[in-house]
């Protein structure tokens, strides 16, 4: 085949001429680069290859990583992981072979991507997120994604979302905003974990997390400074009172001094806040995770103390009085999972008091049916969104819309098993959630999200808006 025949067969002469004319009109100083970019835009948008592998998350437990290829390049994503929620959430597919990674391997999920999902989505336009996600849901054919694995589907969904943004030549958060039909790019208030307890820590504190919210900051970067300084002041406070061993760091970066009561932890945080000079700019949030210590209809506040367990039971009514007193004595503005995940009556009553934001995590498990019920029954007024409990970007967008339509707050949340994937940062800005919970200002996999938010704020520039005091209604 001659050169001319080749040019004619692929209509290259016309395409090259169009590119040269465009370069002339643009009066570009670098015509070669301009023409190259112009020609790249003429290449059809399509997924060309999907390759998955098993990697380890921040806990040293396997998870799924995906490389998705288009004509624009390679786009990588990995699936976060947490405690299984098979009752209401999407199902992570694990190998179950106790001889390998104690049964936690994900080679089956990886194989499903490389052999089944890849075949189903290669050739699809990465811009069409909904169609890609639906193709995987249809291929799985189960309600909870137990056939292919939610970990497999989610990693592909996030990678495709990145590819779609690249195809449109827009930032990831902008692409997510477009997918959701929104356009209000606001930087969220971070809920920094300072003290950890519950099942996440080896101390005797029943509640899972004490967090601070820098609502008085003017920018996200300033919020990061406040969080970091308070965290380090807290380390000093704890070291003074309990010795260096009290500064042990747990999975999400929180500190775990050997304390037993809610007030003991809150007093430590208040002392640290006092040392920062940010007293009027920081609020407190707590994640009680009460399901962890609910026995029947009672709550065992000493469930982690073998010698005391069973001696400090509280009824739902008594827990409400505890929360009311805590909110009166401390600047607490948000309480997550104050009751067991099935204790609908108590959480409805407490939420109705309007003392603070009531966040549904275990209560909702990001499940649309549970969210709908909670909306109808006024059981809480904020959604904690964990994308791996759903399995696709599209479904995450849909439940955030449900929550916002109900005038709820939305908290984009980490999992205990994270990677250096920063997708949650772009998701929080793209969906304008107003709140993000990504752990302490410590540990690389947590800071990957926070640092990405700093970059996004810088990229948006003067138009960047930190939600601050409006964290509930972004």
């Amino acid at each position: 085949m001659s050169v001319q025949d080749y040019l004619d067969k692929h209509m290259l002469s016309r395409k090259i001429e169009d590119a040269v004319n465009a370069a002339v009109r643009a009066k570009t100083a670098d015509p070669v680069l301009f023409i190259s970019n112009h020609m790249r835009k003429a290449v059809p948008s399509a997924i060309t290859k999907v390759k998955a592998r098993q990697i380890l998350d921040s806990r040293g437990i396997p998870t799924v990583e995906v490389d998705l290829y288009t004509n624009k390049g390679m786009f990588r994503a990995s699936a976060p992981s947490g405690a299984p929620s098979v009752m209401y959430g999407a199902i992570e597919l694990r190998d179950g072979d106790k001889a390998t990674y104690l049964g936690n391997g994900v080679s089956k999920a990886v194989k499903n991507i490389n052999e089944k999902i890849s075949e189903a989505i290669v050739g699809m336009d990465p811009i069409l997120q909904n169609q890609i996600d639906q193709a995987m849901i249809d291929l799985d054919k189960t309600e909870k994604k137990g056939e292919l694995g939610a970990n497999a589907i989610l990693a592909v969904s996030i990678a495709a979302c990145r590819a779609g943004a690249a195809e449109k030549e827009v930032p990831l958060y902008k692409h997510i905003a477009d997918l959701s039909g929104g356009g209000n790019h606001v930087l969220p208030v971070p809920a920094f974990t300072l003290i950890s307890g519950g099942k996440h820590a080896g101390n005797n504190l029943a509640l899972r997390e004490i967090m601070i919210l820098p609502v008085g900051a003017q920018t996200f970067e300033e919020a990061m400074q406040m969080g970091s300084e308070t965290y380090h002041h807290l380390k000093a406070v704890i070291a003074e009172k309990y010795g260096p061993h009290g500064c042990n760091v747990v999975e999400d970066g929180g500190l775990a001094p050997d304390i037993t009561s809610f007030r003991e932890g809150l007093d430590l945080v208040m002392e640290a806040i006092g040392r920062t000079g940010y007293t009027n700019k920081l609020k407190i949030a707590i994640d009680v995770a009460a399901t962890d210590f609910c026995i029947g209809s009672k709550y065992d506040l000493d469930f982690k103390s073998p010698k005391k367990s069973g001696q400090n039971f509280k009824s739902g009514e008594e827990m409400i009085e505890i929360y009311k007193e805590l909110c009166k004595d401390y600047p607490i503005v948000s309480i997550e999972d104050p009751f067991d995940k099935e204790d609908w009556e108590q959480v409805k009553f407490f939420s109705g008091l309007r003392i603070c934001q009531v966040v549904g995590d275990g209560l909702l498990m990001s499940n649309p049916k549970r969210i709908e019920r909670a909306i109808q029954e006024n059981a809480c007024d904020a959604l904690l969104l964990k994308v791996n409990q759903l399995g696709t970007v599209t479904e995450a967008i849909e439940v955030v819309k449900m929550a916002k339509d109900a005038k709820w707050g939305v908290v984009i949340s980490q999992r205990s098993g994270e990677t250096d994937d920063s997708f949650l940062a772009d998701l929080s800005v793209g969906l304008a959630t107003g709140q993000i919970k990504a752990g302490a200002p410590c540990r690389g996999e947590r800071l990957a999200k926070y640092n990405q938010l700093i970059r996004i704020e810088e990229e948006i520039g003067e138009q960047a808006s930190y939600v601050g005091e409006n964290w509930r209604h972004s």
Side-chain angles (χ1 to χ4, degrees), residues 19-273:
V20 172
N21 287 334
V24 171
R25 288 193 298 271
K27 298 179 181 179
T28 177
D30 191 338
V32 174
L33 179 61
F34 184 94
I35 292 170
S36 173
N37 290 333
H38 188 90
M39 295 293 287
R40 281 173 62 86
K41 291 178 182 179
V43 177
S45 172
I47 297 170
T48 58
K49 178 183 175 182
V50 182
K51 171 65 177 176
R53 66 183 62 86
Q54 177 175 273
I55 63 169
L56 299 187
D57 68 21
S58 57
R59 304 166 300 175
I61 295 175
T63 190
V64 178
E65 181 176 79
V66 167
D67 292 346
L68 184 145
Y69 295 79
T70 72
N71 294 318
K72 281 288 199 307
M74 184 273 283
F75 305 92
R76 178 170 291 164
S78 53
S81 177
S85 55
V86 295
M87 186 178 297
Y88 300 112
I91 297 172
E92 290 181 342
L93 185 61
R94 300 281 178 180
D95 296 342
D97 178 5
K98 297 297 183 181
T100 305
Y101 286 112
L102 307 179
N104 291 314
V106 292
S107 61
K108 292 179 181 177
V110 168
K111 184 177 180 181
N112 284 339
I113 295 172
N114 291 334
E115 296 183 1
K116 297 178 180 179
I117 293 176
S118 176
E119 182 179 347
I121 69 170
V122 163
M124 295 186 73
D125 187 339
I127 292 175
L128 304 178
Q129 185 74 40
N130 181 65
Q131 292 183 23
I132 293 168
D133 290 343
Q134 192 59 52
M136 292 189 286
I137 291 170
D138 292 344
L139 183 65
D140 180 88
K141 295 185 176 69
T142 67
E143 182 181 358
K144 297 180 182 178
K145 303 177 179 66
E147 181 65 27
L148 298 175
N151 43 352
I153 293 172
L154 179 61
V156 175
S157 182
I158 294 174
C161 194
R162 285 199 167 97
E167 192 63 41
K168 291 164 58 178
E169 298 185 346
V170 299
L172 180 55
Y173 63 84
K174 176 66 167 61
H175 178 49
I176 293 170
D178 292 344
L179 292 172
S180 70
N184 184 24
H185 308 317
V186 296
L187 278 296
V189 165
F192 293 118
T193 302
L194 293 189
I195 290 181
S196 294
K199 290 187 176 181
H200 284 186
N203 55 17
N204 292 315
L205 181 63
L207 67 75
R208 185 175 290 176
E209 290 168 297
I210 300 176
M211 299 163 278
I212 55 166
L213 280 65
V215 299
Q218 297 302 305
T219 64
F220 185 83
E221 185 176 11
E222 184 184 6
M224 281 300 304
Q225 179 182 337
M226 290 180 178
S228 175
E229 291 177 4
T230 307
Y231 182 83
H232 287 284
H233 277 295
L234 179 62
K235 286 181 72 174
V237 170
I238 292 172
E240 291 167 12
K241 294 179 181 292
Y242 302 94
H245 66 277
C247 298
N248 289 337
V249 173
V250 301
E251 288 175 344
D252 64 356
L255 302 168
D258 190 17
I259 56 179
T260 58
S261 74
F262 293 12
R263 286 182 178 272
E264 195 174 359
L266 289 165
D267 286 341
L268 289 172
V269 170
M270 289 302 296
E271 184 170 345
I273 290 174

Side-chain angles (χ1 to χ4, degrees), residues 207 262 286-294 298-299 301 314-320 322-324 327 334-341 343-344 346-351 356-363 379-382:
L207 67 75
F262 293 12
I286 59 175
D287 175 8
V288 182
T291 297
D292 288 350
F293 54 91
C294 181
K298 300 282 188 177
Y299 296 89
L301 299 185
K314 301 293 182 183
S315 66
E317 291 78 9
E318 289 173 317
M319 292 299 292
I320 288 175
I322 289 173
Y323 297 140
K324 287 167 66 176
C327 289
S334 180
I335 299 181
E336 181 182 331
D337 279 352
F339 302 96
D340 179 71
K341 66 179 183 296
D343 198 347
W344 288 83
Q346 295 295 349
V347 75
K348 282 192 292 185
F349 181 82
F350 181 64
S351 184
C356 64
Q357 173 178 261
V358 179
V359 183
D361 175 15
L363 179 75
C380 59
D381 61 0

Side-chain angles (χ1 to χ4, degrees), residues 2 74 86 120 306 325 331 383 401:
S2 68
M74 184 273 283
V86 295
E325 288 297 314
L383 163 68
K401 187 177 187 304

Side-chain angles (χ1 to χ4, degrees), residues 375-392:
I375 291 171
Q376 292 176 354
E377 299 185 19
N378 296 311
C380 59
D381 61 0
L383 163 68
L384 190 88
L385 176 63
K386 295 175 175 176
V387 290
N388 73 313
Q389 291 180 337
L390 289 162
T392 66

